[in-house]
């Protein structure tokens, strides 16, 4: 996930204020799970709270002052009472038990600066089962003045016993108007991608930065051309070589989600990118064939972590798309 433009995101206010009240009452939870969909700024929220806890003289709204020794060390990434655990190799990799054992050692030590020790696990849903279980004992008997922040899009993947020992902060998507206003100030190019991003402002920015909008439009055009026999799946697949199978399937899933939405409610067509084309496509395929095809795509997405031939897999999926449309047409004619 991209860094937030500002970590004071307006849709965090209510959750932020509740945590700051705990802080003022000296009732900061020992473990906090920051949950919510990707693109809401969960990491930004957790980091902001970590800064607040490490600051020696927080501002009236609870934020770190940005000037004290605690804030300076935190900003430099060298605060001895701050510990961050992330996947070792790549963002999609696991967080292993050895990493969590080191984290537990950190939590058990005494504070170097006499304040809180703050540990962040991000993303916590990348912990292996044994890593997550190894945290349990620590949370059952939490060390004093230590705060563990777990950031997770898929909180349900953590063991229930672990979840039940955390205070949950569930970030919710902002209202559409608020999201658009915020993007207008921070990243106007991403406004048109907000619907595609499911209303998640930071995801819309990530899409804009990665050129997802243009690719999405091109893919919908391919799906239309294939459905109307104006393009062969094999030739269409060639034009997508090099994008990466996972990225391409995510794009296809976005297009299919849009198609499913338009198929169910006509009125949404003008609210999502390429809505008119999707509306046209929704006339070419019925819900049952669309559903089966979406299942097929989901299954291949699951296998996309295995080494598959990218070109062949894209070809297969586009041929599958043509088959689904033809199947729907044959059924209508029959
Ligand atoms: Zn400070």
């Amino acid at each position: 996930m991209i860094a937030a433009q500002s970590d004071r995101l307006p849709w965090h206010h209510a959750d932020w204020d509740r945590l700051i009240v705990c802080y003022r009452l000296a009732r900061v939870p020992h473990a906090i799970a920051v949950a919510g969909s990707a693109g809401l700024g969960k990491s930004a929220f957790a980091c902001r709270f970590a800064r607040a806890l490490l600051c020696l003289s927080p501002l009236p709204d609870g934020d770190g002052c940005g000037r004290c020794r605690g804030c300076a060390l935190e900003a430099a990434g060298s605060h001895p009472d701050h510990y961050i655990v992330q996947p070792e190799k790549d963002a999609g990799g696991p967080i292993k038990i050895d990493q969590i054992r080191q984290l537990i050692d950190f939590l058990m030590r005494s504070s170097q600066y006499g304040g809180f020790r703050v540990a962040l696990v991000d993303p916590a849903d990348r912990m292996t089962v044994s890593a997550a279980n190894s945290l349990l004992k620590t949370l059952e008997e939490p060390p004093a003045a230590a705060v563990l922040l777990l950031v997770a899009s898929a909180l349900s993947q953590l063991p229930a016993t672990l979840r039940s020992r955390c205070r949950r902060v569930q970030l919710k998507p902002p209202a559409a108007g608020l999201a658009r206003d915020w993007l207008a100030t921070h990243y106007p190019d991403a406004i048109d991608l907000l619907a595609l991003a499911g209303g998640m402002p930071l995801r819309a920015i990530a899409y804009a930065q990665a050129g997802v909008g243009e690719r999405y439009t091109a893919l919908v055009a391919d799906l239309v051309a294939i459905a109307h026999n104006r393009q062969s799946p094999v030739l269409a697949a060639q034009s997508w070589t090099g994008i990466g199978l996972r990225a391409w399937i995510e794009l296809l899933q976005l297009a299919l989600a849009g198609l499913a939405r338009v198929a169910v409610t006509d009125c949404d067509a003008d609210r999502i990118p390429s809505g008119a084309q999707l509306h046209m496509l929704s006339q070419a395929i019925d819900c049952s064939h669309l559903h089966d095809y979406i299942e097929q795509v989901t299954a291949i997405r699951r296998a996309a972590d295995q080494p598959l031939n990218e070109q062949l897999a894209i070809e297969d999926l586009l041929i599958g798309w043509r088959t689904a449309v033809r199947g729907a047409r044959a059924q209508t004619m029959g």
Side-chain angles (χ1 to χ4, degrees), residues 262 266-273 275-276:
V262 170
D266 280 357
C267 59
D268 265 348
D270 53 0
R271 287 196 215 147
I272 55 177

Side-chain angles (χ1 to χ4, degrees), residues 186-205:
H186 292 89
Y187 210 104
D189 288 353
I191 293 178
D192 288 345
L193 295 166
L194 190 61
L196 208 56
M200 315 294 167
L202 302 185
R203 192 188 294 173
I205 293 177

Side-chain angles (χ1 to χ4, degrees), residues 51-52 54-59 63-72:
R51 274 198 295 282
L54 295 167
C55 177
L56 302 174
S57 54
L59 300 174
D63 270 305
C65 72
R67 289 190 295 272
C68 70
R69 190 178 52 179
C71 285

Side-chain angles (χ1 to χ4, degrees), residues 1-307:
M1 178 43 55
I2 57 153
Q5 306 291 303
S6 151
D7 62 2
R8 296 185 193 194
L9 299 166
W11 55 91
H12 289 176
H13 283 340
D15 291 303
W16 177 258
D17 289 347
R18 272 193 287 275
L19 266 192
I20 291 303
V21 167
C22 296
Y23 174 77
R24 297 219 171 97
L25 295 172
R27 284 188 196 153
V28 178
H30 294 292
I32 301 168
V34 183
S37 300
L40 291 177
K42 295 185 297 296
S43 300
F45 184 95
C47 291
R48 181 184 175 193
F49 192 57
R51 274 198 295 282
L53 292 174
L54 295 167
C55 177
L56 302 174
S57 54
L59 300 174
D61 62 2
D63 270 305
C65 72
R67 289 190 295 272
C68 70
R69 190 178 52 179
C71 285
L73 285 168
E74 194 280 335
S78 54
H79 199 303
D81 294 327
H82 192 204
Y83 195 88
I84 299 175
V85 182
Q86 292 181 307
E88 273 174 351
K89 287 189 186 134
D90 58 280
I95 290 176
K96 296 177 184 158
I97 188 165
D98 288 347
Q99 293 175 270
I100 297 301
R101 283 193 182 126
Q102 287 171 20
L103 164 77
I104 293 168
D105 284 347
F106 162 82
L107 289 171
M108 293 302 179
R109 286 201 294 266
S110 52
S111 164
Q112 303 269 323
Y113 282 82
F116 284 102
R117 271 153 305 129
V118 185
L120 173 72
V121 182
D122 184 10
D125 42 15
R126 285 280 163 191
M127 282 191 286
T128 62
V129 174
S130 52
N133 284 333
S134 71
L135 259 182
L136 265 180
K137 194 168 166 2
T138 310
L139 294 190
E140 279 164 4
E141 297 162 28
V147 177
L148 176 65
L149 293 158
L150 302 174
V151 173
S153 296
L155 201 59
S156 61
Q157 284 181 18
L158 295 179
T161 40
L162 187 61
R163 272 181 278 143
S164 68
R165 286 178 172 77
C166 298
R167 163 75 70 87
R168 181 166 173 166
V169 175
Q170 180 76 39
L171 299 182
K172 294 185 188 67
L178 176 62
R180 273 197 298 273
D181 289 349
W182 184 82
L183 284 174
T185 307
H186 292 89
Y187 210 104
D189 288 353
I191 293 178
D192 288 345
L193 295 166
L194 190 61
L196 208 56
M200 315 294 167
L202 302 185
R203 192 188 294 173
I205 293 177
Y207 282 178
Q209 289 173 336
V212 167
E214 293 82 359
R215 287 174 175 171
Y216 170 87
T217 307
L219 179 58
V220 171
D222 275 354
L223 295 179
V224 171
I226 291 168
H228 293 99
N229 290 319
R230 293 199 308 266
Q231 169 75 296
S232 96
V234 175
L235 283 179
Q238 280 173 10
S239 68
W240 290 104
T241 308
I243 181 179
L245 183 56
R246 176 172 274 276
W248 188 83
I249 293 179
E250 281 172 9
L251 211 55
L252 178 61
Q253 288 181 312
L254 278 180
L256 295 174
L259 178 55
R261 202 168 131 186
V262 170
V264 175
T265 53
D266 280 357
C267 59
D268 265 348
D270 53 0
R271 287 196 215 147
I272 55 177
S274 299
Q277 286 86 340
L278 291 174
H279 181 71
M280 205 157 63
L281 274 183
S282 71
Q283 315 287 310
I285 188 165
D286 61 288
C287 283
S288 149
H289 282 86
L290 177 59
H291 176 264
D292 290 349
Y293 182 61
I294 289 175
E295 296 268 287
Q296 184 191 340
V297 174
T298 307
I300 293 187
R301 159 94 188 250
R302 273 191 220 110
D305 286 332
Q306 317 298 327

